[in-house]
Amino acid sequence: MTDYFEIHGRDGAARLGELRLTDPLTTPALVDGSVDDAGSLWTGEREMPHGYREMLTILPHRSFPAGADERVQETFAVDYPDVDFPSAAVVTAETAADYGSDAYILSNAPGFVGHASAFRDEIIAAREALPADTALYLSGVATPRNAATLAYAGVDLFDAKRARVRGLQGFYLTAEDEYFLEDLDELPCACPACRGKRVDVDAEEAEARGIAASALFDREDCADHNEFALEAELATVRRRIRDGRLRDYIEGQARHDQWLTAAFREFDAQYGYLEERTPVIRDSELAASSSDSLRRVEIQRFADRVTSRYRNRFSNPLVLVPCSATKPYSESQSHAQFHDAVQYRGHLASMTSPIGVVPMELELTYPAQHYDTVVTGRWSEDEKSFVASVLRLYLERNEYSRVIAHVPEGGYRDICDRVAGDVDVDFEYTVDDHPTTTESIANLMSTLDGELKYGKRERQHNTVKALADYQFGPDAGDALFADVDLQTTSRYPKLQVRDDDGEQLAAMVPQYGVLAFTLAGARVWEESDAPTKRVEIDGFVPHGSVLAPGVVDADDDIRVGDEVVVEGPKAFGVGRAQMFGSEMVESTRGEAVQMRHVEER
């Protein structure tokens, strides 16, 4: 149980938190001036410290280096006491457990930081063994260059020990590299340690030229600079977490060191760890600027749900079209031309890297309307392979009488050609030169001659059901409204879902492309055969939020941003999850659910 650490925001495994000392610290942060070490038990017995609110007290401990035999660790394990002040326990991934502390220090960090697969294994093992609402502290390893990747992996607390030692050794650290102090002709920084100092002269030359010794940049200044640079980098990391865009930053910043690039790729391979911690909706841009973006949780999750949950309900041919720079696609000039040509005689789906395939009903659903990517007109082999695999799975799940590929030569056509031989429906191509030329648009129009139009009601109903499929599971759209004479009111994209008595059940949220339920809708959801995500609470009526201490149980598959039903002895309600399911159950602080509607029982 933690009393002095609370998580306020999440971006994958990275967290924005608060170390609740007398002078609170927003994490990820340096804690050098806020830690009191009660000492090692290897050198003798230690008195239990009194502790106080101003400092994070490291309890008497035994540290183990990387590679220490598990039997040795077990034999000399410390039985940490339960204390009533801010405390940290020293553990390894093998000994990590809930000792009632607010933070946990991995003593073997210097042995695995710098080795990508070992770093991945140790961090994931520790994070999964420790309570979800406690801080993870790595001591003696942080530098301006690796801090962002450490935070991305799930580390909350750092110190400047390594950065300062490197400075005293004559190494000048930046977020991109490290330099021998003697090799610098000028200082590429304006921090207090660097401002007004010179590195272009040595002490002897300075004396000869009458330059004051205080104007020279020495190793003590270098240590100070390194600490300032580390603080600045952590401020950038906090800003990125707040914006939900740390991964965008990591993909560029980690390129400055091979092990950092390898590290975030190792974490990409641990999809379950990151997926559980990554929100399902956001309102921030997703910058897809490299082939590594294809492995992002948001991209993989969207592709998986489109190919395993979504189901096409139109009887018309599939019309594949290229994506557009404008989001949502339907607001672009090119897609306006496609819509005018199709005239509701075909089911539009956009092909795009890095998302894959976007059926028109899901064009608003995160991240389909939130991503931006580098446009060169040339597709990499990774991009073509990924989009082809998504299209293949999509067509295996959804039956169409025809596939009309209104796509240009090059990457789009290559993808279609790869898939065409693997499915039981022929591809018909309609583009001459460019998809928006007069000839191409005319080809698209004539190819659909004789196809029946679908109406507004069918289009809206299919959109609502497609969103339900995507959010809740395969065929959820049909199961959810099986006993409801479904009605839709208002205009797209602000559709309102009502029953035959006119009572509102849900509304489409255009910012994220998801459904948000009313109380009546939550009851329909709960009583239907559609998978329901439930949070069980204690005997109280929540107002505004459900805090973690009030959660009795929660479904494991709940993710941040999910729609959830909240039930307890005294209340029934619906809201949006602010923690993932197991975190709700484990945590003792923080907002678990943001309530939208609640009624007293």
Side-chain angles (χ1 to χ4, degrees):
M1 177 177 179
T2 177
D3 293 317
Y4 298 101
F5 183 68
E6 183 172 346
I7 301 165
H8 296 303
R10 296 159 185 80
D11 186 6
R15 295 103 63 84
L16 192 72
E18 180 184 8
L19 188 58
R20 300 165 65 89
L21 307 178
T22 302
D23 186 11
L25 283 175
T26 301
T27 64
L30 295 179
V31 294
D32 297 75
S34 302
V35 168
D36 181 30
D37 189 350
S40 171
L41 293 170
W42 286 119
T43 57
E45 292 301 316
R46 301 278 181 172
E47 290 186 6
M48 183 55 57
H50 295 294
Y52 38 96
R53 282 289 305 272
E54 289 80 7
M55 305 289 280
L56 179 69
T57 299
I58 302 175
L59 300 174
H61 56 274
R62 291 190 183 94
S63 297
F64 297 98
D69 190 285
E70 289 187 35
R71 293 169 297 180
V72 174
Q73 296 187 48
E74 183 179 346
T75 300
F76 292 98
V78 176
D79 186 15
Y80 291 105
D82 189 12
V83 297
D84 60 0
F85 50 82
S87 66
V90 178
V91 298
T92 66
E94 289 77 19
T95 63
D98 184 1
Y99 294 109
S101 292
D102 305 286
Y104 293 86
I105 304 171
L106 293 187
S107 65
N108 56 341
F112 63 74
V113 169
H115 305 279
S117 59
F119 172 66
R120 173 205 64 200
D121 293 343
E122 294 292 314
I123 294 295
I124 291 178
R127 275 265 61 113
E128 293 185 342
L130 296 171
D133 59 347
T134 56
L136 185 61
Y137 179 3
L138 295 196
S139 178
V141 297
T143 67
R145 186 161 48 169
N146 70 21
T149 300
L150 299 182
Y152 175 77
V155 181
D156 305 290
L157 305 179
F158 308 83
D159 56 42
K161 292 177 182 177
R162 177 170 174 78
R164 293 198 64 85
V165 167
R166 294 298 280 168
L168 295 173
Q169 292 171 337
F171 289 92
Y172 186 93
L173 307 186
T174 71
E176 297 83 25
D177 210 340
E178 68 175 30
Y179 304 90
F180 288 113
L181 188 55
E182 291 79 4
D183 291 341
L184 292 177
D185 297 317
E186 60 179 329
L187 296 172
C189 175
C191 73
C194 296
R195 194 178 302 125
K197 297 296 182 76
R198 300 184 62 169
V199 291
D200 58 336
V201 294
D202 59 25
E204 184 177 342
E205 183 180 355
E207 184 178 1
R209 295 170 56 181
I211 300 172
S214 60
L216 302 183
F217 189 84
D218 59 21
R219 291 192 175 193
E220 189 64 42
D221 294 322
C222 192
D224 291 341
H225 156 79
N226 289 352
E227 184 169 354
F228 282 126
L230 180 52
E231 287 179 336
E233 181 68 2
L234 288 173
T236 298
V237 168
R238 291 192 294 271
R239 180 69 262 168
R240 286 286 180 162
I241 295 173
R242 288 186 182 97
D243 294 341
R245 300 193 63 186
L246 180 59
R247 173 58 186 251
D248 296 352
Y249 181 68
I250 286 289
E251 286 193 21
Q253 200 277 335
R255 291 289 191 275
H256 299 295
D257 194 314
Q258 286 82 356
W259 97 261
L260 296 176
T261 301
F264 85 76
R265 288 177 177 172
E266 290 285 354
F267 273 90
D268 281 350
Q270 299 299 312
Y271 178 79
Y273 174 76
L274 290 180
E275 192 278 330
E276 182 179 39
R277 292 162 171 79
T278 301
V280 294
I281 57 173
R282 307 189 216 233
D283 57 6
S284 57
E285 179 183 294
L286 187 156
S289 55
S290 75
S291 60
D292 287 307
S293 300
L294 294 172
R295 292 187 289 273
R296 289 184 63 152
V297 166
E298 300 94 324
I299 303 299
Q300 294 291 326
R301 179 194 279 150
F302 186 87
D304 175 68
R305 292 191 177 191
V306 165
T307 56
S308 67
R309 293 188 176 190
Y310 167 84
R311 183 167 63 80
N312 167 50
R313 292 175 172 81
F314 293 94
S315 57
N316 304 73
L318 173 64
V319 179
L320 293 172
V321 296
C323 65
S324 66
T326 300
K327 312 291 187 307
Y329 303 134
S330 59
E331 295 183 3
S332 69
Q333 291 184 354
S334 59
H335 279 244
Q337 292 179 272
F338 302 155
H339 279 282
D340 288 344
V342 172
Q343 286 291 308
Y344 305 112
R345 296 174 296 167
H347 177 225
L348 281 172
S350 300
M351 294 170 57
T352 177
S353 175
I355 303 294
V357 176
V358 183
M360 64 183 188
E361 306 97 301
L362 301 180
E363 69 162 0
L364 298 180
T365 303
Y366 181 82
Q369 72 161 324
H370 303 81
Y371 79 96
D372 198 4
T373 190
V374 178
V375 179
T376 64
R378 296 181 297 275
W379 291 63
S380 70
E381 180 56 33
D382 285 345
E383 290 176 305
K384 290 192 282 189
S385 295
F386 175 71
V387 177
S389 68
V390 174
L391 179 58
R392 186 178 296 108
L393 290 171
Y394 177 88
L395 289 173
E396 288 172 356
R397 178 171 172 79
N398 296 282
E399 292 186 10
Y400 289 95
S401 58
R402 306 164 65 191
V403 175
I404 299 166
H406 190 71
V407 296
E409 295 285 345
Y412 288 107
R413 183 66 179 263
D414 289 348
I415 292 166
C416 290
D417 288 342
R418 293 184 187 192
V419 175
D422 298 332
V423 295
D424 294 330
V425 58
D426 292 333
F427 280 58
E428 305 170 47
Y429 298 99
T430 55
V431 169
D432 288 329
D433 186 33
H434 191 275
T436 59
T437 63
T438 302
E439 294 79 5
S440 295
I441 294 297
N443 289 342
L444 179 57
M445 294 178 67
S446 62
T447 301
L448 289 166
D449 284 348
E451 298 289 347
L452 298 177
K453 292 184 178 182
Y454 49 82
K456 176 182 177 181
R457 184 174 186 274
E458 181 182 1
R459 185 170 73 252
Q460 291 184 345
H461 284 202
N462 287 353
T463 296
V464 168
K465 291 180 178 181
L467 294 179
D469 287 345
Y470 183 90
Q471 280 182 261
F472 309 123
D475 300 318
D478 293 330
L480 184 59
F481 303 111
D483 299 323
V484 176
D485 184 8
L486 188 63
Q487 310 291 325
T488 52
T489 58
S490 194
R491 298 183 63 183
Y492 180 86
K494 297 181 179 180
L495 295 177
Q496 295 180 355
V497 183
R498 300 179 182 274
D499 62 17
D500 51 351
D501 294 326
E503 183 168 18
Q504 185 173 345
L505 305 178
M508 182 177 174
V509 183
Q511 295 95 320
Y512 312 117
V514 295
L515 297 177
F517 288 113
T518 63
L519 274 175
R523 292 198 181 281
V524 169
W525 182 22
E526 184 187 40
E527 294 167 3
S528 75
D529 291 332
T532 308
K533 299 189 177 184
R534 293 181 173 85
V535 177
E536 181 185 349
I537 62 172
D538 217 332
F540 65 96
V541 180
H543 297 285
S545 298
V546 172
L547 300 181
V551 174
V552 175
D553 199 8
D555 290 342
D556 285 340
D557 61 349
I558 292 173
R559 302 291 178 260
V560 175
D562 267 335
E563 197 78 357
V564 293
V565 167
V566 177
E567 292 185 275
K570 295 185 177 181
F572 176 87
V574 64
R576 182 171 292 160
Q578 302 300 301
M579 297 178 176
F580 56 90
S582 61
E583 185 182 26
M584 291 183 187
V585 178
E586 294 178 16
S587 297
T588 56
R589 303 192 69 89
E591 184 184 32
V593 182
Q594 186 180 83
M595 298 300 296
R596 184 181 308 114
H597 303 290
V598 65
E599 67 179 9
E600 189 170 355
R601 282 179 161 168

